[in-house]
Amino acid sequence: MSSVRNYRASYQSYLTRQDVDGAKIKYIFIINTMESLQRYMKRNNMQTVFNKFSPLSMYGDIQVLAQLGGEFYRLPEFNEKSAPKYTKNNIYGQDASANEKVDLFSDLFHTSELTHIIWFTDEEITPYVSVIQSMHAPHLFWNFVSIKGYPLRCEGTLPKNINLTHAPKISSLATSVLYRKVLNRFSQYVNKTDLPLSGRVRISRTEDLSGSVSIIKGAKLPVEQMNIKIGVGWKTFGEECLSTAMLLTNDKLLDAENITFFGNKSTIGMTHIDSRELPTEDMEQYMINLSAIEQASQDKVLFTLVMPGGAPEQLYIRMLTYDNREILRYSIDMSVCQENTALELGALYMYKGEWRFHAIGNGYNAGMEKIGAQYGISDLTESYDFTPGIIEDIALDGRSFEYHMQDLFTKLGYEVDMPTSDPYAPDYGVDLIITKAGIRTAVQLKCFNNVVPIKAIQEVYAGAQMYNCTRYMVVATNYFSRAALQLAEQLQVEIWDKTQLKKIEDRLRSRIGVSPNHELKLKLSKQESEDEIDIDISAFLVDEHDRCLGDDDLVFYNQPEHASGCIRLINDTTWEKLMYLNLSLLPDHCQRIIIIGSLDAYKQRVELIIDNELDLYHTFEYMPSAVCDTLVLGQFRKIDGEWAFTTSDKYFVGGLEEACKMYGLVVEE
């Protein structure tokens, strides 16, 4: 029961942070119960997901439907009482067709209630899109969640009330991360869309508008506070818009790094916040420290809006204090901006030693190219990408990049923590804190389609001290600038650019699940070589510290079988080696099995074939460099409680003798 209370507390905390009234939300679950997906759900403990979702029924039982092909059947309702054994009692091995059949798209949804439909599946989504669109039911939000964690397939552009969610093994996500991953887009949708409903899901407005002043184009007002927020909001049924904030000196943009937006989250005295996930009407916000800007000899902050898909229907810019009291609001007249693709909204500027706000509202037909050229950087769009593609990529993938990296670091064996759960609190340039073997590493994440600047290295190095971290890392979806690379080397900041990140992700994907209930056959052989090359395969049975406890835990050509019977080696030919494994016989002191390949020639391609369970063959190719003769082919280990084989990219010189030293065995001279 303690876990149920924890799940409920986590859900209530989520609702509070989102400022959402859970009583106004109805949920419906749809589960694709085809046999192959049932096996996958069992293996990846899908029941855990249902346990964590049990608090969604706090305000009423949840209706559940089973999908079998193109038919849908009503299952027993889901609630906190039925949640712990729901999959066992109603899904695994059950005949869903024995239940009442329903017509999903006509009989079930004769309601005006705001409904979040969570559909667990892994099939092509495209056939359902046109049907959902034809219903003309914006109060129904369809959230397709991948059971296997792979991106769901769908052709064309999705309407706003359809979302595709995927996360590798969602059952392993922390409860709060699972809620954000699955529920955030729904909260954004209902709070940013005018729905034909009585009432919204917002609990209350947390901002004080009583003292706000409405201003017109051209107005100039003094700014008394030095720490303020600038909010930008719009309403559009077309493509997304994108706001930017530019630091100017004498009306010149001195450096492309002095611009802040989705793709460059912070600069001197200014931080960009995606407000789509916060309890505010703004789409984007900027946290401004005018003292820091002034000390950096900057005298103007220009706020602009990029509108690649055309002008929005409504648009405003406003100023707030840090405690959410609105100071002023400027609503732009969009009737005179219909042909524009970019707008200057307003500016904070220094005048006779005092800061002021200027309501501008001027439009451009040439987008950010014209704005950049006017303020001194003619090639601004070469430094940053302001196309509709990048807006959508950053707006969606940027928000999920953090969740993705949490999953990835967890799979790499790290404990992952967030520096703060408060979206308004500063994170000092640290997005994640990862820990392994007692070593804390501060990580900054940069979901960029542009080159990562030196500022990212500076921020994570400084911010690490706030969280008692002794190591530093920046992970990015693009490459780093030359200055960033030089500083990272000097400060010993580890960096993963897009190539390194892809390499690590590919290595994790080069993984197969294996069963201890079936004997495994490994075959190592050469490829594409007419020469007779002598190859060997060996196995080291190691503990949690990657050390063999004794010589008996090495299986190789002179010791072809382990005493426990879990591994035996067959040396029939020089160019092909076979090894058989029975994981059920593995001794208790052994946590994993390291598989090593040795060659008597350099730069030869070999392949490892694993006969996994019932004639399911998996092939991995290896190509060592010209100076390596020994390969760590991979290892068998438990991941999230299940046995798996993961490949490795480690090569070295020295053959089996050097491998013995690596895994703690003494080699006699």
Side-chain angles (χ1 to χ4, degrees), residues 152 165 259 398 431 474 568:
L152 293 166
T165 299
I259 184 169
D431 296 309
V474 180
R568 53 192 174 92

Side-chain angles (χ1 to χ4, degrees), residues 67-353:
Q67 176 192 1
L68 278 176
E71 308 294 337
F72 300 89
Y73 302 89
R74 195 186 307 276
L75 294 182
E77 293 185 327
F78 176 85
N79 50 47
E80 289 189 349
K81 184 177 180 181
S82 65
K85 295 184 178 180
Y86 194 88
T87 55
K88 178 181 179 181
N89 293 340
N90 303 292
I91 298 177
Y92 298 158
Q94 305 297 319
D95 182 11
S97 62
N99 296 281
E100 176 191 356
K101 185 177 179 180
V102 298
D103 188 330
L104 177 64
F105 298 105
S106 60
D107 296 344
L108 187 61
F109 297 120
H110 290 160
T111 175
S112 62
E113 292 180 275
L114 179 62
T115 305
H116 186 180
I117 302 151
I118 302 177
W119 192 331
F120 297 97
T121 187
D122 267 280
E123 63 177 334
E124 176 85 27
I125 304 302
T126 308
Y128 300 110
V129 174
S130 59
V131 180
I132 293 172
Q133 287 179 311
S134 68
M135 294 174 68
H136 302 293
H139 60 286
L140 303 179
F141 185 83
W142 302 76
N143 194 349
F144 292 88
V145 180
S146 170
I147 295 174
K148 294 185 177 180
Y150 305 139
L152 293 166
R153 301 177 301 278
C154 185
E155 299 177 0
T157 303
L158 292 174
K160 290 189 175 184
N161 65 329
I162 297 180
N163 181 56
L164 308 183
T165 299
H166 72 273
K169 197 166 183 183
I170 60 175
S171 62
S172 65
L173 295 179
T175 310
S176 58
V177 176
L178 178 65
Y179 291 156
R180 294 201 307 268
K181 187 75 177 175
V182 177
L183 306 180
N184 266 11
R185 289 299 302 277
F186 172 67
S187 297
Q188 297 166 25
Y189 172 73
V190 297
N191 286 298
K192 302 297 184 182
T193 308
D194 285 336
L195 298 174
L197 303 169
S198 56
R200 312 274 285 216
V201 301
R202 276 279 152 76
I203 294 176
S204 61
R205 181 182 292 274
T206 60
E207 300 160 348
D208 181 4
L209 307 183
S210 59
S212 178
V213 176
S214 180
I215 61 176
I216 62 174
K217 183 175 181 178
K220 299 178 180 180
L221 277 73
V223 178
E224 298 177 357
Q225 291 83 4
M226 298 302 286
N227 292 300
I228 58 174
K229 288 192 269 188
I230 295 293
V232 181
W234 59 84
K235 175 184 174 183
T236 177
F237 293 105
E239 294 183 7
E240 270 286 10
C241 299
L242 176 75
S243 71
T244 69
M246 304 164 62
L247 283 181
L248 307 177
T249 302
N250 297 323
D251 271 340
K252 293 297 180 183
L253 181 63
L254 302 182
D255 193 315
E257 292 187 11
N258 285 358
I259 184 169
T260 301
F261 72 118
F262 256 128
N264 189 30
K265 285 290 189 180
S266 62
T267 188
I268 301 169
M270 189 160 50
T271 300
H272 173 278
I273 294 176
D274 174 18
S275 301
R276 293 165 177 83
E277 298 184 7
L278 300 179
T280 174
E281 61 183 302
D282 302 330
M283 298 295 281
E284 298 177 14
Q285 283 187 352
Y286 296 87
M287 316 291 281
I288 310 289
N289 184 332
L290 293 176
S291 297
I293 294 174
E294 186 176 342
Q295 290 173 8
S297 301
Q298 312 286 330
D299 55 21
K300 189 173 184 178
V301 184
L302 177 66
F303 299 94
T304 66
L305 188 75
V306 183
M307 309 175 297
E313 294 186 6
Q314 300 173 13
L315 173 64
Y316 69 84
I317 182 171
R318 62 176 183 155
M319 183 190 303
L320 304 94
T321 63
Y322 257 46
D323 58 355
N324 292 327
R325 289 183 295 107
E326 185 174 289
I327 302 171
L328 60 86
R329 178 184 293 250
Y330 169 40
S331 296
I332 292 90
D333 183 3
M334 299 310 298
S335 63
V336 298
C337 305
Q338 292 301 310
E339 303 301 321
N340 299 141
T341 57
L343 282 171
E344 290 186 5
L345 305 177
L348 292 164
Y349 69 100
M350 176 70 73
Y351 179 74
K352 294 183 178 180

Side-chain angles (χ1 to χ4, degrees), residues 432-443:
L432 299 175
I433 298 171
I434 59 175
T435 306
K436 181 188 284 188
I439 300 174
R440 290 168 59 85
T441 302
V443 182

Side-chain angles (χ1 to χ4, degrees), residues 508-569:
L508 287 175
R509 280 194 290 268
S510 297
R511 180 177 87 187
I512 60 169
V514 295
S515 171
N517 301 322
H518 298 84
E519 187 175 58
L520 303 174
K521 182 174 72 174
L522 281 65
K523 181 174 74 173
L524 182 66
S525 57
K526 68 180 181 64
Q527 273 194 324
E528 302 172 359
S529 175
E530 297 180 358
D531 301 328
E532 291 191 4
I533 298 172
D534 191 2
I535 63 176
D536 285 300
I537 186 171
S538 310
F540 291 81
L541 286 72
V542 300
D543 60 15
E544 66 271 18
H545 304 296
D546 282 348
R547 289 291 183 267
C548 293
L549 296 187
D551 294 343
D552 292 342
D553 288 336
L554 168 61
V555 177
F556 69 118
Y557 51 84
N558 280 340
Q559 188 169 270
E561 187 168 353
H562 193 268
S564 66
C566 66
I567 303 178
R568 53 192 174 92
L569 178 62

